[in-house]
Amino acid sequence: MLTDLSFLDRGKPWPPPSEKERLDTYVANRLLFQADHASVFKDSLSRTLRAAESLGLALPTSYELCVNYFKLISVTTAGMLFNKAPGIVAGEERDEAMMQAVQDIDDRSDLQDTLFTCALDASRFGDGLLYVHRDELGKGVIDISRPDCWFPVVDAANLRRILWHVLAVPYEKQIAVMGLSRTQKYLRVEIHGKGSVEVRDYLMQEGSIGAMLGTPRTEQTGIEGFAVIPVNNLRSSDQVHGTDDYSDIQSLVCELEVRLAQISRVLDRHTDPTMQGPEEALTDYTDPSTRETHRVFVPGKYFINSSGGVGGEIKYTTWEAQLEANFVQIERLLSLIRVISEMGALLSDMTDKQGAVPSGAAMRRMLYGAISKISRLRNRFTPAIKQALVAAAALSGADLKGKPLYIDWPDVLPRDPLEQAQIADLRTGGKQTQSTKRAIMELDDLDEDDAEAELESIREEQESAMPMLDSLNSRQADNGDDPGDENSEGV
């Protein structure tokens, strides 16, 4: 961990040695997310290579099977958080001016997509970064920054207390030296404090920090707090950074892919069965190109089997693949991946053999781990979103500090309306528990005005249908039929 800014002194190695393991993990996790598992699972890949050699198969040039649970977990987690945008209510009783300020920030920042990407980073790397700054028009926007460029400086006694957020980005330029063009590496550093940011540029010399270019430039951000707002995944008191979703299941997914690859190779090996038979079934064959002679079996010939007293039976060598233990192992691995990743049934097909989907209550029990995980992440995002909105509003000339801000998160799993209606019917003995207007608002996702308009349309249709019903009843009366008589045959 970094507890002061001395890691930026001239001659210090870059990146800082204490951060190398974290940055290496970021590189590996990025490859896993992008389905380049062979680059990460090199040692395990050698097991499949050895297995291929022992079976006499050509060595593969790539990892045949890629079961990308890593991407699925990250995308599913971010989707459960932000596929449906949370509602943001500003001010008491929805203050119009504050709501408009929040809406403007939302529009400028493309806030839903920004938060979705931040959630992806929190899952992949353990940390997502919101970054508040001014846009080209001088208005505040909420953006994101890369975790691999982030080096927080913390209080050694309290790792949750950040003293500075350092954003460092290497870059290159072509420079002329004695008439020759060469590439020079530099390091752009932003040291974010509360309300200000200091910008420095360094020369890079063989993996270490060189001389500083010019003098540092200090700028006021216009924000009381930090412009960089981290959103950490699961984190304990002795951790500066959050825990990613990949580390705990890497070995399981690796073993799963190796097991599947080995099974596929064994099956491929025996799709071309070997012929066996008597020696007289073979014929000398000379390759015209190499002039080499081989003993081969020529199809089309007829041989008498051993029952006729000559030779032996010609047949294919069959093989009984004892793969049951492999499939049991695969199922155990899948079960462990579901449990340890906290995603549960989200990583499997939840329909039964007849294609039926479990009820809402059953699905919630099956996804208890995933729901708990999403609730934990929401607790991380809620203060970060509020802090980012206050900061972006301050840069836009609006004041949201100290004003009520509410984040209305949608339900993780939509409730089953039929199941809820059945429960209400049982609890009330079949009595009505909801007005028609409220039912329309909830089922059709309408506000009160739209629901009133829908009810008015229903009333108009009913009234227009009444003259037709009166005319029908009148014709029945003229024919001597009583509309209310059960024995009446009608018209």
Side-chain angles (χ1 to χ4, degrees), residues 215-272:
T215 57
R217 304 181 303 280
T218 301
E219 303 171 3
Q220 299 302 311
T221 61
I223 302 172
E224 281 194 16
F226 291 111
V228 179
I229 304 169
V231 182
N232 307 111
N233 205 335
L234 185 65
R235 185 174 66 144
S236 61
S237 61
D238 58 350
Q239 289 180 286
V240 176
H241 299 276
T243 303
D244 63 85
D245 289 339
Y246 296 178
S247 298
D248 289 343
I249 63 169
Q250 268 198 45
S251 60
L252 295 173
V253 176
C254 174
E255 180 63 24
L256 174 65
E257 293 181 347
V258 170
R259 187 62 51 194
L260 291 172
Q262 289 177 334
I263 290 174
S264 297
R265 288 204 181 94
V266 169
L267 295 177
D268 286 344
R269 176 66 181 85
H270 292 276
T271 55
D272 184 17

Side-chain angles (χ1 to χ4, degrees), residues 107-344:
D107 294 340
R108 288 193 300 269
S109 308
D110 192 7
L111 189 57
Q112 185 176 358
D113 184 65
T114 298
L115 294 174
F116 185 95
T117 306
C118 185
L120 277 181
D121 285 347
S123 174
R124 292 193 302 167
F125 306 131
D127 299 301
L129 295 180
L130 298 177
Y131 181 34
V132 182
H133 61 92
R134 285 189 173 91
D135 63 6
E136 296 80 2
L137 301 177
K139 299 292 186 179
V141 295
I142 301 173
D143 208 340
I144 57 174
S145 189
R146 292 166 44 186
D148 59 344
C149 298
W150 177 53
F151 300 88
V153 179
V154 299
D155 183 350
N158 181 3
L159 303 186
R160 292 176 177 267
R161 180 171 176 261
I162 297 179
L163 306 178
W164 292 281
H165 292 278
V166 177
L167 300 181
V169 182
Y171 65 97
E172 297 179 349
K173 281 186 179 180
Q174 293 294 324
I175 62 173
V177 179
M178 300 179 65
L180 299 176
S181 177
R182 70 179 184 88
T183 301
Q184 176 62 55
K185 295 182 179 181
Y186 299 90
L187 185 68
R188 167 65 59 87
V189 176
E190 294 181 4
I191 303 175
H192 287 265
K194 292 185 177 181
S196 65
V197 56
E198 181 181 326
V199 182
R200 303 177 184 178
D201 284 281
Y202 293 93
L203 284 172
M204 294 293 291
Q205 298 175 341
E206 299 180 355
S208 61
I209 298 177
M212 186 186 303
L213 301 178
T215 57
R217 304 181 303 280
T218 301
E219 303 171 3
Q220 299 302 311
T221 61
I223 302 172
E224 281 194 16
F226 291 111
V228 179
I229 304 169
V231 182
N232 307 111
N233 205 335
L234 185 65
R235 185 174 66 144
S236 61
S237 61
D238 58 350
Q239 289 180 286
V240 176
H241 299 276
T243 303
D244 63 85
D245 289 339
Y246 296 178
S247 298
D248 289 343
I249 63 169
Q250 268 198 45
S251 60
L252 295 173
V253 176
C254 174
E255 180 63 24
L256 174 65
E257 293 181 347
V258 170
R259 187 62 51 194
L260 291 172
Q262 289 177 334
I263 290 174
S264 297
R265 288 204 181 94
V266 169
L267 295 177
D268 286 344
R269 176 66 181 85
H270 292 276
T271 55
D272 184 17
T274 303
M275 182 73 73
Q276 71 172 6
E279 186 177 358
E280 57 265 25
L282 301 179
T283 303
D284 290 337
Y285 169 75
T286 302
D287 190 332
S289 60
T290 62
R291 297 298 178 182
E292 295 180 356
T293 301
H294 307 279
R295 299 277 286 168
V296 298
F297 173 74
V298 180
K301 289 189 175 183
Y302 179 79
F303 296 91
I304 300 173
N305 62 24
S306 57
S307 61
V310 178
E313 182 181 4
I314 299 175
K315 62 181 180 180
Y316 284 107
T317 300
T318 59
W319 173 72
E320 279 295 325
Q322 302 296 327
L323 296 178
E324 290 79 5
N326 289 275
F327 294 122
V328 171
Q329 173 73 348
I330 287 173
E331 187 53 43
R332 287 174 179 169
L333 290 171
L334 291 174
S335 178
L336 288 171
I337 290 171
R338 297 187 194 107
V339 172
I340 295 176
S341 67
E342 300 181 87
M343 302 305 290

